Amino acid sequence: MIGLALVALAACSPAQSSTATSPTSGMDMPSSSQSTPDKPVATNTVSIKNFTFDPASITVKVGTTVTWTNADQDPHTVTSDGKSGPLNSKPLNQGDTYQYTFTQAGTFSYLCTIHPFMTATVTVTP
């Protein structure tokens, strides 16, 4: 009799457990294209860590002040890519910050002059 009760409970369990353990049923999950690392992120802070700018691509509105914070032990710069550009920090030691207020729309590429493989972009919208 106990064996029959266990079989009856076991037969009910999968239907109940699949409903209870499926938190996404009826929910729309974001597509993989929405979470690509190259897609600009709407934020005004950038961390410098593990020899990367994180996020590597941000979008802000004109008038926004962006703050970069160096979390690495090595110094880094935030410098516009090319001969002219608005970004030109001194070398930032661990814990140092650099701020810049964007006053015009456009796309601004920048890098670390100490480690030129470190690159990123700020897109400024009206």
Side-chain angles (χ1 to χ4, degrees):
M1 190 147 190
I2 293 176
L4 272 174
L6 289 174
V7 171
L9 285 175
C12 293
S13 294
Q16 290 175 351
S17 93
S18 67
T19 303
T21 60
S22 180
T24 59
S25 62
M27 294 175 54
D28 291 330
M29 297 301 292
S31 69
S32 61
S33 65
Q34 291 177 328
S35 60
T36 59
D38 293 337
K39 183 175 180 182
V41 175
T43 184
N44 66 339
T45 60
V46 178
S47 295
I48 306 169
K49 60 185 178 182
N50 300 320
F51 291 86
T52 62
F53 295 104
D54 183 31
S57 189
I58 66 171
T59 299
V60 298
K61 292 188 178 286
V62 168
T64 301
T65 299
V66 177
T67 303
W68 289 263
T69 303
N70 184 6
D72 278 343
Q73 291 182 355
D74 291 48
H76 297 290
T77 68
V78 177
T79 309
S80 290
D81 192 7
K83 294 185 185 229
S84 64
L87 304 173
N88 190 18
S89 76
K90 66 176 182 60
L92 305 172
N93 293 314
Q94 187 175 31
D96 287 350
T97 61
Y98 171 69
Q99 293 185 320
Y100 182 80
T101 302
F102 289 89
T103 58
Q104 60 182 344
T107 300
F108 302 89
S109 297
Y110 64 95
L111 55 84
C112 170
T113 57
I114 302 167
H115 310 98
F117 59 88
M118 294 174 55
T119 60
T121 305
V122 176
T123 301
V124 182
T125 60

